[in-house]
């Protein structure tokens, strides 16, 4: 996709272009909305004298929570961005939040007028803002924006809810500091045109979610707080990582053309749905899809996926903060298994921790969460929780083609321990007379360099490997996968990654087991020739990438890929590897890169 003219912040007559990192392809045009309520009049109701105290407490609690939120965001900006100027803006926000005149005004009115505290707070703030807006001094007028921004956060804290009510109305481009998967769960997805966030990276879950939904996504946008206005028209360019506010007619026209080109390409790709995922010379690759929610199965099957290669099971935790019971899990896994049919589903056991999910009691809050208590480490300690999930997977295996795999395996002991617990569950179910597939395949993810080094030994314990390149890259290159500051170091084409992949494939094939790749690398057509050339048997990709990867595969020749990989494995730098990958991809499916 050609890049429209843009600098980090180009100003034409009206429009402003902000740059970030493109994480999900496509263009969205529509009004901007914030996750979290902008400053809007809340509902008003009378309260009695005895309720005043309770309202004061609610107010204090909301101020406390808002403070925590602002401080956390400030800390994150400093840590991941080193952006002191931007972080200082939040100092001003904290001053607004703690303005004693406002606080005492609200208290006085609570006692005197006796209405719910949000309506009183809103009125107090509105008056301040109006008097500031009446002043011609641009600096003071800007402060009005800060005050509205902070007050909006307080109102959300008082409502104790996300912006889901406002989300119900019309399609919008959603802007947020960051989006946790839990933020998007309750939203009506048909109204979401795109995601734009201040934080995040290519493999953060905002990005994965945007790609799963097939909507444009741009993260890491450097936009000072208070600059954007809800309701203003924007263009979100998920090809080039740009958010354009108040676009001119000329820019809109430019993007309309881009969208048309894209539609033509998508129509071409759609025709491949029923075609096999094979190279030009007939080498078949299993092309499956990654899902997080059961309802995604329909869409991936419509796009012709060979089943589900990675079913992330953290989703329960986004929707509720207690552990899902065996029945709930069995029902969810069985539903997916039944829908995918023979193609099958690979259920990955719980991978909580790191960026995925934090318990409400903060037990998972750690200094180094990616190196801490996550994935299989949690499961092997919380064995009841783990066994509940294993039993549910086994029970679902009686209803369809189910495979199971463990995340974050670092060595043989963990794998043996996990398999031991699985055997316990199998024995229990046999005793209880509950049916399950005695031959259910079990695999492990290869996401740590240590797992690669002992892959020959791990291969003896499992039926397959699935390489999680998202984590393998971060742990090999020591680059935090969600830190936009080091995003340029996060390189799937790093020679070390290619060599590790070669070792994994060799270990698997020597042990006569199959090997897949389910990290985001598998969905990037630039690397399709590399993975084919290495002899990877399965590619499990984000739903929006199925047809793109299938198209790439069908333009490639497997022998040529093998020859190229041999060359790549001798190259010393990322740049040389990427130049070769780009050259071949452009030659064979240049339409992706126009
Ligand atoms: C990976 O690490 O590549 C992977 C697929 O798992 P996740 O992105 O869920 O950590
Ligand atoms: Mg992983």
């Amino acid at each position: 996709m050609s890049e429209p003219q843009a600098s980090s912040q180009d100003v034409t007559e009206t429009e402003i272009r902000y740059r970030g990192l493109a994480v999900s392809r496509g263009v969205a045009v529509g009004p901007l909305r914030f996750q979290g309520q902008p400053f809007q009049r809340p509902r008003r109701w009378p309260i009695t004298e005895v309720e005043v105290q309770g309202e004061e407490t609610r107010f204090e609690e909301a101020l406390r929570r808002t403070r925590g939120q602002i401080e956390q965001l400030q800390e994150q900006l400093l840590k991941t961005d080193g952006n002191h100027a931007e972080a200082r803006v939040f100092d001003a926000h904290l001053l607004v939040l703690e303005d004693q005149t406002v606080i005492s005004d609200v208290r006085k009115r609570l006692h005197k007028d006796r209405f719910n505290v949000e309506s009183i707070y809103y009125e107090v703030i509105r008056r301040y803002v109006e008097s500031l807006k009446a002043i011609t001094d641009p600096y003071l007028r800007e402060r009005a924006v800060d005050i509205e921004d902070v007050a909006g956060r307080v109102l959300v804290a008082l409502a104790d809810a996300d912006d889901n009510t406002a989300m119900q109305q019309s399609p919008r481009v959603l802007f947020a500091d960051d989006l946790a998967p839990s933020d998007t769960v309750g939203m009506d997805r048909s109204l979401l045109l795109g995601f734009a966030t201040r934080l995040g990276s290519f493999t953060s879950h905002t990005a994965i979610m945007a790609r799963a939904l097939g909507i444009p996504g741009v993260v890491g946008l450097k936009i000072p707080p208070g600059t954007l206005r809800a309701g203003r028209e924007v263009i979100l360019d998920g090809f080039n990582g740009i958010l354009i506010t108040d676009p001119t007619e000329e820019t809109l026209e430019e993007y309309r053309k881009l969208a048309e080109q894209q539609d033509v390409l998508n129509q071409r790709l759609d025709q491949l749905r029923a075609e096999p995922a094979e190279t030009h010379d007939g080498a078949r690759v299993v092309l499956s899809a990654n899902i997080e929610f059961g309802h995604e199965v329909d869409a991936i099957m419509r796009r012709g996926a060979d089943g589900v290669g990675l079913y992330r099971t953290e989703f329960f935790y986004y929707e509720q903060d207690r552990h899902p019971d065996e029945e709930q899990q069995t029902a969810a896994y069985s539903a997916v298994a039944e829908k995918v049919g023979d193609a099958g589903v690979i259920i990955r056991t719980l991978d909580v921790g790191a960026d995925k999910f934090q318990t409400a009691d903060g037990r998972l809050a750690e200094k180094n969460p990616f190196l801490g208590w996550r994935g299989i480490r949690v499961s092997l300690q919380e064995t009841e929780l783990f066994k509940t999930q294993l039993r549910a997977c086994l029970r679902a295996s009686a209803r369809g083609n189910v495979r199971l795999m463990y995340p974050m395996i670092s060595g043989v002991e963990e794998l043996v321990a996990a398999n031991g617990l699985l055997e316990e569950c199998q024995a229990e179910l046999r005793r209880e007379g509950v049916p399950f597939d005695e031959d259910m395949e079990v695999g492990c993810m290869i996401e740590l360099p240590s797992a690669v080094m002992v892959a020959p030994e791990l291969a003896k314990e499992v039926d397959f490997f699935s390489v999680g390149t998202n984590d393998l890259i971060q742990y090999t290159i020591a680059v935090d996968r969600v830190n936009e500051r080091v995003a340029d170091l996060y390189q799937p084409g790093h020679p070390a990654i290619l060599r590790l992949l070669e070792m994994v494939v060799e270990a698997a094939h020597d042990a006569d087991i199959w090997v897949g790749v389910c990290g985001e690398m598998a969905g990037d057509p630039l690397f399709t020739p590399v993975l084919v050339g290495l002899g990877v048997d399965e590619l499990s990709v984000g739903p929006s990438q199925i047809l793109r990867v299938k198209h790439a595969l069908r333009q490639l020749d497997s022998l040529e890929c093998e020859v190229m990989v041999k060359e790549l494995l001798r190259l010393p730098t990322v740049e040389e590897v990427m130049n070769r990958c780009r050259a071949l991809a452009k030659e064979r499916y240049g339409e992706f890169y126009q």
Side-chain angles (χ1 to χ4, degrees):
M1 199 54 51
S2 64
E3 182 166 323
Q5 296 302 304
S7 69
S8 67
Q9 189 173 318
D10 291 341
V11 183
T12 63
E13 247 173 48
T14 55
E15 73 180 31
I16 303 183
R17 296 179 175 219
Y18 299 100
R19 263 197 180 284
L21 182 68
V23 294
S24 183
R25 305 162 54 77
V27 172
V29 181
L32 192 72
R33 287 284 179 276
F34 297 105
Q35 167 75 8
Q37 183 71 13
F39 186 60
Q40 267 173 13
R41 184 185 295 280
R43 211 160 57 80
R44 172 179 159 110
W45 63 88
I47 55 166
T48 62
E49 195 177 353
V50 279
E51 285 170 324
V52 169
Q53 178 58 45
E55 290 295 276
E56 277 197 45
T57 314
R58 264 195 337 117
F59 184 46
E60 280 157 22
E61 174 60 11
L63 293 178
R64 197 186 57 72
R65 278 177 51 194
T66 308
R67 176 178 191 95
Q69 227 181 50
I70 295 175
E71 284 173 345
Q72 200 183 351
L73 181 63
Q74 208 174 19
E75 203 180 300
Q76 244 166 314
L77 277 172
L78 282 174
K79 202 162 59 185
T80 60
D81 206 20
N83 194 333
H84 294 267
E86 204 169 317
R88 262 202 306 277
V89 177
F90 288 106
D91 278 331
H93 282 201
L94 287 172
L95 289 179
V96 171
L97 183 72
E98 277 155 12
D99 189 312
Q100 288 309 314
T101 327
V102 172
I103 295 175
S104 78
D105 215 358
V106 169
R107 289 215 172 97
K108 270 189 224 142
R109 280 162 194 272
L110 254 181
H111 285 273
K112 189 165 138 282
D113 302 345
R114 296 218 203 111
F115 283 102
N116 59 315
V117 70
E118 42 272 78
S119 66
I120 293 203
Y121 180 67
Y122 173 82
E123 278 308 323
V124 169
I125 294 288
R126 194 182 56 84
R127 266 188 233 154
Y128 275 93
V129 166
E130 271 172 13
S131 50
L132 280 177
K133 280 185 179 162
I135 299 172
T136 41
D137 179 345
Y139 175 81
L140 287 177
R141 292 220 332 230
E142 270 310 298
R143 298 290 64 78
V145 174
D146 285 344
I147 294 173
E148 283 186 343
D149 194 304
V150 175
R153 286 179 194 270
V154 175
L155 289 177
V156 173
L158 278 167
D160 199 20
D162 293 325
D163 185 21
N164 286 340
T165 41
M167 281 300 298
Q168 306 304 321
Q169 297 142 17
S170 58
R172 71 268 334 276
V173 173
L174 193 68
F175 183 82
D177 295 330
D178 197 8
L179 281 171
S182 53
D183 293 325
T184 55
V185 163
M187 290 174 187
D188 179 344
R189 285 144 199 244
S190 63
L191 298 180
L192 274 177
L193 298 173
F195 284 139
T197 61
R198 280 202 175 91
L199 305 172
S201 66
F202 194 78
T203 54
S204 64
H205 281 259
T206 307
I208 291 177
M209 186 76 78
R211 289 194 291 274
L213 293 174
I215 58 175
V218 178
V219 302
L221 282 158
K222 309 271 176 290
I223 302 179
T227 321
L228 298 175
R229 301 281 180 286
R232 294 243 296 256
E233 178 161 72
V234 297
I235 296 174
L236 185 69
D237 172 356
F239 295 110
N240 301 296
I242 305 171
L243 177 78
I244 307 173
T245 55
D246 301 318
T248 59
E249 193 41 49
E250 203 185 339
T251 306
L252 281 166
E253 184 52 31
E254 187 184 345
Y255 274 95
R256 260 179 230 126
K257 282 200 193 116
L258 266 182
E260 272 164 27
Q261 274 174 25
Q262 204 53 29
D263 282 348
V264 172
L265 182 57
N266 285 340
Q267 278 164 19
R268 262 184 71 194
L269 292 177
D270 264 359
Q271 288 161 7
L272 295 178
R273 290 166 183 218
E275 300 297 326
E278 62 185 17
T279 57
H280 192 59
D281 56 330
R284 181 79 164 90
V285 175
V286 176
L287 180 57
S288 49
N290 299 345
I291 62 165
E292 302 210 33
F293 299 95
H295 63 75
E296 292 174 85
V297 173
D298 297 325
I300 64 145
M301 296 313 277
R302 268 201 311 276
R303 289 182 190 147
D306 298 322
V308 174
L310 165 64
Y311 182 10
R312 291 184 169 98
T313 56
E314 294 76 55
F315 69 99
F316 283 115
Y317 295 85
Y318 307 152
E319 291 171 324
Q320 59 187 39
D321 52 14
R322 64 191 168 78
H323 299 309
D325 64 25
E326 188 177 316
E327 295 311 314
Q328 261 182 313
Q329 294 190 54
T330 306
Y333 305 154
S334 302
V336 171
E338 280 166 11
K339 273 192 192 162
V340 291
D342 291 345
V345 49
I346 302 180
I347 300 173
R348 179 182 71 185
T349 63
L350 197 60
D351 187 20
V352 289
D355 63 328
K356 301 256 173 57
F357 151 80
Q358 306 285 314
T359 50
D361 61 10
R363 271 196 310 156
L364 292 179
E366 297 180 340
K367 278 238 164 79
N368 264 321
F370 277 112
L371 302 182
W373 203 51
R374 79 170 276 207
I376 198 69
R377 301 167 184 190
V378 176
S379 297
L380 291 178
Q381 276 179 33
E382 303 281 317
T383 49
E384 280 317 303
L385 186 92
F386 189 39
K387 282 179 70 178
T388 302
Q389 183 167 35
L390 294 177
R391 282 175 59 99
C393 291
L394 284 164
R395 286 174 60 187
S397 74
R399 312 275 291 274
N401 180 7
V402 169
R403 299 184 181 100
L404 177 79
M405 69 180 174
Y406 311 119
M408 289 293 295
I409 292 288
S410 68
V412 175
E413 294 86 341
E414 281 167 346
L415 186 50
V416 169
N419 276 339
L421 290 167
L422 181 67
E423 275 165 28
E424 274 179 32
C425 294
Q426 288 169 325
E428 282 169 20
L429 292 175
R430 269 183 221 114
R431 271 199 306 277
E432 293 162 23
V434 178
F436 65 92
D437 175 7
E438 292 276 356
D439 299 319
M440 181 182 76
E441 281 189 27
V442 178
C444 79
M445 290 192 71
I446 303 287
E447 308 183 87
L448 311 185
S450 62
V452 177
M453 302 312 288
V454 296
E457 287 77 16
L458 294 174
K460 292 183 190 139
E461 311 294 332
V462 287
D463 302 301
F464 66 91
F465 283 157
S466 185
V467 186
T469 46
N470 302 343
D471 280 312
L472 185 62
I473 295 166
Q474 83 161 341
Y475 292 126
T476 302
I477 311 179
V479 52
D480 182 344
R481 66 189 257 189
V482 294
N483 181 343
E484 59 272 24
R485 210 175 172 191
V486 286
D488 57 331
L489 291 175
Y490 189 94
Q491 294 289 356
H494 193 296
I497 302 301
L498 304 192
R499 294 173 202 185
L500 290 172
L501 285 169
E502 186 196 26
M503 289 167 75
V504 181
V505 174
E506 194 179 300
H509 289 171
D510 282 353
D512 274 336
I513 64 170
W514 62 267
V515 53
V517 174
C518 64
E520 296 300 303
M521 181 182 185
D524 186 342
L526 274 183
F527 299 111
T528 311
V530 177
L531 299 176
V532 168
L534 284 167
V536 170
D537 304 292
E538 179 228 29
L539 300 175
S540 190
V541 307
S544 59
Q545 298 305 102
I546 299 166
L547 292 169
R548 292 170 59 78
V549 173
K550 191 185 276 190
H551 176 65
L553 271 172
R554 293 174 62 83
Q555 312 309 310
L556 292 163
D557 181 278
S558 65
L559 290 177
E560 177 190 44
C561 294
E562 272 177 45
V563 171
M564 182 176 94
V565 160
K566 286 211 175 82
E567 268 176 51
L568 295 186
L569 286 166
R570 286 196 294 269
L571 295 178
T573 63
V574 178
E575 197 189 345
E576 285 159 283
V577 170
M578 292 312 295
N579 285 344
R580 290 284 288 115
C581 291
R582 275 190 214 106
L584 184 62
K586 282 194 174 156
E587 186 188 315
R588 294 304 154 84
Y589 28 92
E591 54 279 23
F592 287 167
Y593 306 102
Q594 273 163 16

